[in-house]
């Protein structure tokens, strides 16, 4: 049996690119954080939506489907009317929380610098456009 190959991010056919597109979204980061905080418990869909300001029902559903498909979360449905849907991170999903948390901290620590760089570049572009 062949050993798994590491991805090559610079190869346009590499599945790593698709995976990074999925796990690198703000909604994935927020969902993983909420689910990690509940570990080892579960979080209902409605509670996830309440704890993720700005997420639409559709976007949350798509995000959670992706997490489940990738083996990062599990989904459990209670056969009630309406059904109660619960989510929990898998061990693999919990392992994603550490790098995502580091990225969130980095973003929070450097947001002011990024805002200043954006403002400076926007001002330069505006100045160049009026010349």
């Amino acid at each position: 049996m062949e050993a798994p190959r590491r991805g090559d991010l610079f190869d346009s056919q590499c599945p790593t690119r698709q995976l990074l597109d999925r796990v690198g979204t703000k909604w994935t980061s927020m969902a993983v954080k909420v689910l990690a905080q509940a570990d080892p418990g579960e979080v209902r869909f409605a509670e996830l939506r309440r704890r993720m300001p700005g997420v639409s029902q559709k976007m949350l559903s798509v995000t959670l489907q992706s997490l489940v498909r990738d083996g990062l979360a599990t989904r459990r449905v209670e056969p009630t009317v309406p059904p109660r849907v619960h989510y929990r991170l898998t061990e693999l999903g919990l392992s994603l929380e550490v790098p995502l948390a580091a990225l969130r901290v980095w973003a929070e620590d450097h947001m002011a610098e990024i805002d200043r760089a954006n403002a400076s570049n926007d001002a330069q572009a505006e100045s160049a456009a009026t010349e």
Side-chain angles (χ1 to χ4, degrees):
M1 190 163 151
E2 190 176 315
R5 227 172 34 109
R6 277 191 75 97
D8 178 1
L9 183 61
F10 296 99
D11 178 353
S12 63
Q13 302 302 309
C14 180
T16 302
R17 286 182 173 199
Q18 295 169 348
L19 179 59
L20 286 171
D21 281 344
R22 291 193 305 275
V23 300
T25 71
K26 65 182 173 188
W27 302 125
T28 296
S29 183
M30 290 172 78
V32 168
K33 180 176 183 175
V34 171
L35 292 169
Q37 289 172 334
D39 186 61
E42 297 175 317
V43 181
R44 287 185 55 198
F45 182 91
E47 179 63 19
L48 275 162
R49 187 155 182 227
R50 275 192 291 279
R51 294 182 57 193
M52 294 172 58
V55 70
S56 69
Q57 183 168 334
K58 176 162 178 54
M59 184 51 63
L60 180 55
S61 179
V62 166
T63 300
L64 292 168
Q65 286 171 6
S66 180
L67 289 172
V68 170
R69 183 171 185 266
D70 288 338
L72 300 171
T74 60
R75 179 179 187 262
R76 183 177 65 84
V77 180
E78 285 183 38
T80 58
V81 178
R84 291 184 183 144
V85 183
H86 305 261
Y87 293 89
R88 168 185 292 160
L89 289 179
T90 62
E91 287 300 315
L92 184 60
L94 282 169
S95 75
L96 180 59
E97 170 55 10
V98 172
L100 287 181
L103 185 56
R104 286 190 302 265
V105 167
W106 181 90
E108 291 166 358
D109 288 350
H110 296 284
M111 197 64 242
E113 293 169 74
I114 301 296
D115 283 344
R116 284 192 298 274
N118 277 284
S120 175
N121 283 305
D122 291 349
Q124 288 176 3
E126 188 176 307
S127 176
T130 59
E131 291 178 2

